[in-house]
mmCIF file of all heavy atoms in Angstrom:
data_model
loop_
_atom_site.group_PDB
_atom_site.id
_atom_site.type_symbol
_atom_site.label_atom_id
_atom_site.label_comp_id
_atom_site.label_asym_id
_atom_site.label_seq_id
_atom_site.Cartn_x
_atom_site.Cartn_y
_atom_site.Cartn_z
ATOM 1 N N LEU A 171 78.641 -2.762 -10.873
ATOM 2 C CA LEU A 171 79.179 -1.435 -11.154
ATOM 3 C C LEU A 171 80.041 -1.440 -12.400
ATOM 4 O O LEU A 171 80.554 -2.473 -12.826
ATOM 5 C CB LEU A 171 80.014 -0.937 -9.967
ATOM 6 C CG LEU A 171 79.344 -0.897 -8.596
ATOM 7 C CD1 LEU A 171 80.325 -0.377 -7.557
ATOM 8 C CD2 LEU A 171 78.076 -0.059 -8.624
ATOM 9 N N CYS A 172 80.218 -0.249 -12.951
ATOM 10 C CA CYS A 172 81.194 -0.059 -14.024
ATOM 11 C C CYS A 172 82.519 0.401 -13.417
ATOM 12 O O CYS A 172 83.500 -0.320 -13.433
ATOM 13 C CB CYS A 172 80.683 0.951 -15.041
ATOM 14 S SG CYS A 172 79.160 0.465 -15.881
ATOM 15 N N GLU A 173 82.527 1.623 -12.863
ATOM 16 C CA GLU A 173 83.769 2.153 -12.307
ATOM 17 C C GLU A 173 83.499 2.993 -11.066
ATOM 18 O O GLU A 173 82.374 3.443 -10.838
ATOM 19 C CB GLU A 173 84.514 3.008 -13.339
ATOM 20 C CG GLU A 173 84.896 2.279 -14.602
ATOM 21 C CD GLU A 173 85.844 1.111 -14.391
ATOM 22 O OE1 GLU A 173 86.405 0.996 -13.284
ATOM 23 O OE2 GLU A 173 86.019 0.311 -15.323
ATOM 24 N N VAL A 174 84.558 3.220 -10.294
ATOM 25 C CA VAL A 174 84.508 4.037 -9.085
ATOM 26 C C VAL A 174 85.712 4.967 -9.088
ATOM 27 O O VAL A 174 86.817 4.553 -9.453
ATOM 28 C CB VAL A 174 84.544 3.173 -7.806
ATOM 29 C CG1 VAL A 174 84.495 4.044 -6.552
ATOM 30 C CG2 VAL A 174 83.409 2.153 -7.799
ATOM 31 N N ALA A 175 85.515 6.217 -8.688
ATOM 32 C CA ALA A 175 86.619 7.165 -8.553
ATOM 33 C C ALA A 175 86.418 7.958 -7.266
ATOM 34 O O ALA A 175 85.292 8.343 -6.941
ATOM 35 C CB ALA A 175 86.697 8.107 -9.750
ATOM 36 N N ILE A 176 87.514 8.196 -6.547
ATOM 37 C CA ILE A 176 87.471 8.951 -5.299
ATOM 38 C C ILE A 176 88.650 9.917 -5.272
ATOM 39 O O ILE A 176 89.794 9.516 -5.484
ATOM 40 C CB ILE A 176 87.556 8.030 -4.070
ATOM 41 C CG1 ILE A 176 86.455 6.966 -4.088
ATOM 42 C CG2 ILE A 176 87.477 8.852 -2.782
ATOM 43 C CD1 ILE A 176 86.596 5.922 -2.994
ATOM 44 N N THR A 177 88.361 11.190 -5.004
ATOM 45 C CA THR A 177 89.408 12.189 -4.810
ATOM 46 C C THR A 177 89.145 12.914 -3.498
ATOM 47 O O THR A 177 88.015 13.347 -3.243
ATOM 48 C CB THR A 177 89.454 13.207 -5.960
ATOM 49 O OG1 THR A 177 89.770 12.532 -7.179
ATOM 50 C CG2 THR A 177 90.508 14.273 -5.704
ATOM 51 N N HIS A 178 90.176 13.025 -2.657
ATOM 52 C CA HIS A 178 90.018 13.680 -1.358
ATOM 53 C C HIS A 178 91.070 14.761 -1.194
ATOM 54 O O HIS A 178 92.234 14.564 -1.540
ATOM 55 C CB HIS A 178 90.149 12.650 -0.230
ATOM 56 C CG HIS A 178 89.473 13.067 1.034
ATOM 57 N ND1 HIS A 178 89.878 14.157 1.794
ATOM 58 C CD2 HIS A 178 88.396 12.539 1.683
ATOM 59 C CE1 HIS A 178 89.090 14.279 2.850
ATOM 60 N NE2 HIS A 178 88.179 13.319 2.809
ATOM 61 N N ARG A 179 90.657 15.899 -0.658
ATOM 62 C CA ARG A 179 91.593 16.997 -0.392
ATOM 63 C C ARG A 179 92.434 16.699 0.828
ATOM 64 O O ARG A 179 92.000 16.050 1.771
ATOM 65 C CB ARG A 179 90.826 18.305 -0.142
ATOM 66 C CG ARG A 179 90.336 19.033 -1.360
ATOM 67 C CD ARG A 179 91.432 19.740 -2.115
ATOM 68 N NE ARG A 179 92.081 20.795 -1.365
ATOM 69 C CZ ARG A 179 91.654 22.054 -1.295
ATOM 70 N NH1 ARG A 179 90.524 22.417 -1.914
ATOM 71 N NH2 ARG A 179 92.332 22.963 -0.618
ATOM 72 N N VAL A 180 93.637 17.216 0.823
ATOM 73 C CA VAL A 180 94.470 17.290 2.014
ATOM 74 C C VAL A 180 94.903 18.738 2.179
ATOM 75 O O VAL A 180 94.857 19.531 1.239
ATOM 76 C CB VAL A 180 95.699 16.363 1.917
ATOM 77 C CG1 VAL A 180 95.276 14.919 1.979
ATOM 78 C CG2 VAL A 180 96.509 16.638 0.648
ATOM 79 N N GLY A 181 95.322 19.087 3.400
ATOM 80 C CA GLY A 181 95.674 20.467 3.673
ATOM 81 C C GLY A 181 94.445 21.293 4.000
ATOM 82 O O GLY A 181 93.381 20.772 4.355
ATOM 83 N N ARG A 182 94.580 22.591 3.868
ATOM 84 C CA ARG A 182 93.502 23.519 4.235
ATOM 85 C C ARG A 182 92.380 23.494 3.204
ATOM 86 O O ARG A 182 92.631 23.579 1.993
ATOM 87 C CB ARG A 182 94.066 24.930 4.373
ATOM 88 C CG ARG A 182 93.008 25.982 4.678
ATOM 89 C CD ARG A 182 93.638 27.293 5.066
ATOM 90 N NE ARG A 182 92.643 28.353 5.219
ATOM 91 C CZ ARG A 182 92.827 29.445 5.955
ATOM 92 N NH1 ARG A 182 93.965 29.621 6.596
ATOM 93 N NH2 ARG A 182 91.876 30.365 6.033
ATOM 94 N N VAL A 183 91.149 23.390 3.709
ATOM 95 C CA VAL A 183 89.959 23.431 2.862
ATOM 96 C C VAL A 183 89.026 24.498 3.434
ATOM 97 O O VAL A 183 88.516 24.349 4.545
ATOM 98 C CB VAL A 183 89.243 22.060 2.811
ATOM 99 C CG1 VAL A 183 88.081 22.124 1.837
ATOM 100 C CG2 VAL A 183 90.217 20.957 2.415
ATOM 101 N N ASN A 184 88.820 25.560 2.688
ATOM 102 C CA ASN A 184 88.035 26.695 3.171
ATOM 103 C C ASN A 184 86.531 26.431 3.079
ATOM 104 O O ASN A 184 86.087 25.484 2.421
ATOM 105 C CB ASN A 184 88.398 27.951 2.377
ATOM 106 C CG ASN A 184 89.822 28.405 2.641
ATOM 107 O OD1 ASN A 184 90.293 28.383 3.780
ATOM 108 N ND2 ASN A 184 90.523 28.801 1.591
#
Side-chain angles (χ1 to χ4, degrees):
L171 305 180
C172 298
E173 300 298 347
V174 180
I176 304 173
T177 297
H178 204 294
R179 280 286 297 274
V180 291
R182 177 169 174 157
V183 184
N184 293 319

